Amino acid sequence: MKTTNILSAIIFLTISFSAFGQEQQPKTIKKISIHDIYIQTGFFLERNTNGTLADFKTLAPQSVLLNNNMTDFSQSGVISMTGITMFSVMLGLQFSDKQKTIYKANPLLRLGFSYYSGTILTGGSYKQDRKPYDTLTSTQTGQTVYIDSVTSKSYSMNYSSEQLRFDGSLIFRTNSEARWSLFTGIGITAGLSIEANTHIYYSNYSRTETRNANGNTSSSYGYSSSNDNKTETYRNKTNFGASTYIPMGIDFRIGKKREFWKRTHLFYELRPGINITSIPELRTIINASIQHGLGLRVSWN
């Protein structure tokens, strides 16, 4: 009986220590976990790229308008900013520590896709013809006023595309538990166009202009020769777009008490960077850009 009692006690103690050891052993977690989802919309600005007439003849070789005689036309083009709209959806991924017991707040990896739409290349040519139309002489003062007929002809061209790009960034954030937080990091995008087009517009506008003897002029009335106004659109090859940027932003957690609103954030993000577009018919265009965006972030663990 003693032997039986001793064996029973040993077995009981062994099972107890084994269970205790299992309870004390930390639970392991996965290496990577989806932490939140980002939905963002906005636009980015970059310096306008002026294309030559030769560029657009290459983009639209079948164009009837561009094959007109434009030897006496002047090329228009000024330095300006081009706005491109964007929309993105991304997932935020967290990494565990070496022991796989907790997920680290920093860094966070964002992965997803962004949609871009806008004009990449612009150009234009114009010509103005002036002809005497009438001469008016005042019977009281004897002053002579000349009326000229002025005709303006112009060609406007642009190359635009819609692109779908992979978007990835590494984010470092201040205290993520606070209601307000700041973040920064580094990011890249890369993708192809889902549509690329060249648009060509021709307009013919006429007006009368009063010209005094001292050379001062003033417009009287004008009209557009609608029969001469024409538009052409041509489909282009798939282009490649990419960018590298520095995300910088501020994040605001909406709620304090209700669980859903505690996990819901609004954020503003600024992305200065370099944008690249490779047009297969022409060349690669590289411009500095700056992107603004407002977004919604929802976390669930």
Side-chain angles (χ1 to χ4, degrees):
M1 290 293 295
K2 287 185 177 181
T3 302
T4 302
N5 290 337
I6 292 173
L7 288 174
S8 298
I10 292 173
I11 293 172
F12 174 78
L13 291 174
T14 301
I15 294 174
S16 298
F17 279 115
S18 176
F20 178 78
Q22 289 177 0
E23 290 177 0
Q24 295 300 313
Q25 184 178 0
K27 183 180 178 181
T28 59
I29 57 178
K30 295 179 179 180
K31 181 68 176 178
I32 300 174
S33 172
I34 298 176
H35 181 261
D36 42 26
I37 183 171
Y38 294 77
I39 300 174
Q40 183 179 0
T41 185
F43 66 95
F44 73 85
L45 299 172
E46 66 178 26
R47 187 178 65 84
N48 180 56
T49 300
N50 293 320
T52 65
L53 180 59
D55 288 337
F56 285 98
K57 283 187 175 182
T58 302
L59 289 168
Q62 65 273 54
S63 170
V64 176
L65 293 175
L66 296 185
N67 285 321
N68 291 336
N69 184 8
M70 287 187 278
T71 54
D72 53 349
F73 279 67
S74 300
Q75 184 171 338
S76 60
V78 294
I79 296 176
S80 60
M81 299 297 289
T82 297
I84 297 177
T85 58
M86 62 82 63
F87 177 80
S88 63
V89 177
M90 293 180 287
L91 294 176
L93 307 179
Q94 280 189 329
F95 299 93
S96 68
D97 59 0
K98 292 182 178 180
Q99 292 74 28
K100 294 185 178 181
T101 56
I102 61 171
Y103 289 108
K104 297 181 292 183
N106 287 310
L108 180 136
L109 179 64
R110 294 190 313 190
L111 297 176
F113 291 93
S114 293
Y115 166 83
Y116 294 85
S117 175
T119 299
I120 299 170
L121 198 66
T122 62
S125 297
Y126 68 94
K127 173 187 176 183
Q128 189 177 89
D129 291 325
R130 180 186 297 272
K131 295 180 181 179
Y133 180 74
D134 201 356
T135 302
L136 303 177
T137 302
S138 172
T139 57
Q140 295 180 345
T141 64
Q143 183 180 2
T144 301
V145 176
Y146 305 95
I147 299 178
D148 295 336
S149 174
V150 181
T151 301
S152 299
K153 298 178 181 180
S154 65
Y155 293 85
S156 177
M157 300 86 76
N158 70 69
Y159 171 83
S160 61
S161 75
E162 300 177 46
Q163 296 178 342
L164 186 63
R165 299 186 187 181
F166 164 80
D167 197 334
S169 54
L170 202 61
I171 299 298
F172 296 86
R173 189 183 304 275
T174 59
N175 185 7
S176 59
E177 300 299 324
R179 192 162 193 188
W180 292 89
S181 63
L182 301 174
F183 63 89
T184 187
I186 188 169
I188 59 170
T189 70
L192 300 173
S193 66
I194 54 179
E195 187 169 354
N197 295 296
T198 297
H199 306 275
I200 304 161
Y201 309 94
Y202 170 76
S203 66
N204 187 337
Y205 178 80
S206 298
R207 71 180 186 276
T208 59
E209 204 168 76
T210 301
R211 177 167 49 89
N212 298 322
N214 58 12
N216 293 332
T217 61
S218 61
S219 295
S220 177
Y221 65 88
Y223 61 91
S224 176
S225 180
S226 59
N227 291 334
D228 287 339
N229 293 344
K230 295 180 175 65
T231 301
E232 294 177 343
T233 300
Y234 298 97
R235 188 75 176 264
N236 291 107
K237 297 178 181 178
T238 300
N239 64 45
F240 171 77
S243 68
T244 178
Y245 63 90
I246 299 175
M248 299 182 293
I250 183 169
D251 184 289
F252 172 70
R253 178 163 51 85
I254 295 176
K256 287 184 176 180
K257 297 180 180 179
R258 294 188 178 182
E259 191 64 25
F260 174 77
W261 295 114
K262 287 169 63 176
R263 295 177 178 273
T264 305
H265 303 247
L266 295 175
F267 67 92
Y268 166 76
E269 185 172 329
L270 182 69
R271 293 182 178 184
I274 301 295
N275 191 53
I276 302 168
T277 303
S278 180
I279 304 174
E281 296 93 337
L282 289 180
R283 58 187 177 275
T284 298
I285 297 173
I286 302 175
N287 278 324
S289 66
I290 184 165
Q291 179 177 311
H292 302 265
L294 292 174
L296 182 71
R297 177 171 74 94
V298 179
S299 60
W300 52 76
N301 60 32

